[in-house]
Amino acid sequence: MKKILITGNPDFGLAKGLAGVFPKADFISSSTGCDLEYKANMDAVAKRAIEYDVFVNNSALWNFKQTLLLELVWKEAEMAKKSLHIVCIGSTTDRATKGSSWIYQQEKKALRSYCNQLSLQSVWKEREVPRVSLISFGTLENNAEKHPGRKCMSIVDAASYVKWIVEAPGNVNINEISVDRLQR
């Protein structure tokens, strides 16, 4: 059985769904005493992540911190020559560009771009480096109130897609998947 570390509150949102499909996973969030808004805590998480087989970078941190956490974890695992699988949770909003001051879309675009950059290293390096996978979801049911009338994906379904990536054979890398709920 794979040892899994997940960022996010296991009582809320996608992290709650992930707690259901990975009942033995460990979680890191402000609710578990580790606020990832602080660099020292992010550094500690990066060092801790290499004790695991899978690191799920789930938290939607602001100020590009989800991307920065990916960088810290990847570099720590690379230095340790650890065969870590990093799964980042993105958003399909990264495909949209509209006149807005909302930075969330740009943060998710940065995460997607950096995941793609690192996943290429996962595939093409001749030595062991961490694998990186990105899965981006459209609106999940925990955000239904923000989007009245939109059909949202269930948390359970989203968590099952993450589980599918985690359980993929070790000789392949699922680089990127984008999943949206049909609106019909």
Side-chain angles (χ1 to χ4, degrees):
M1 175 164 274
K2 293 180 180 178
K3 192 172 172 189
I4 301 173
L5 180 63
I6 302 171
T7 61
N9 181 341
D11 296 321
F12 177 77
L14 182 56
K16 183 175 183 177
L18 294 171
V21 297
F22 302 117
K24 295 187 182 209
D26 292 327
F27 286 82
I28 291 179
S29 70
S30 56
S31 67
T32 63
C34 184
D35 189 342
L36 293 172
E37 292 299 322
Y38 299 103
K39 174 81 165 66
N41 288 349
M42 290 172 58
D43 288 336
V45 167
K47 290 184 184 334
R48 183 174 172 196
I50 64 171
E51 299 170 13
Y52 292 79
D53 302 306
V54 177
F55 174 70
V56 180
N57 188 4
N58 173 58
S59 295
L61 302 169
W62 69 294
N63 281 341
F64 297 88
K65 289 189 175 149
Q66 188 179 14
T67 303
L68 295 172
L69 182 59
L70 166 60
E71 177 187 33
L72 292 170
V73 171
W74 196 91
K75 285 182 176 179
E76 194 70 36
E78 181 188 33
M79 285 186 333
K81 295 181 171 64
K82 174 68 178 178
S83 179
L84 179 66
H85 187 183
I86 303 168
V87 179
C88 292
I89 308 301
S91 171
T92 61
T93 195
D94 72 1
R95 301 175 303 192
T97 298
K98 57 185 176 182
S100 170
S101 61
W102 191 39
I103 198 166
Y104 181 76
Q105 294 169 328
Q106 303 310 315
E107 290 173 321
K108 292 300 184 177
K109 282 181 185 184
L111 178 65
R112 180 179 185 220
S113 180
Y114 197 50
C115 282
N116 285 327
Q117 180 178 323
L118 293 177
S119 71
L120 286 174
Q121 288 200 43
S122 303
V123 172
W124 293 107
K125 284 277 188 177
E126 292 184 13
R127 62 179 169 77
E128 190 75 30
V129 296
R131 290 187 298 152
V132 177
S133 301
L134 172 71
I135 183 163
S136 297
F137 295 107
T139 307
L140 299 177
E141 66 188 354
N142 60 312
N143 287 310
E145 286 182 17
K146 294 178 188 175
H147 306 282
R150 185 179 295 175
K151 293 179 181 163
C152 301
M153 180 180 297
S154 81
I155 295 293
V156 172
D157 287 347
S160 70
Y161 291 120
V162 175
K163 184 178 184 206
W164 178 77
I165 290 172
V166 167
E167 292 178 346
N171 66 339
V172 299
N173 191 56
I174 297 170
N175 302 316
E176 180 180 359
I177 294 177
S178 180
V179 185
D180 281 302
R181 168 73 163 80
L182 295 176
Q183 296 300 300
R184 52 181 174 259

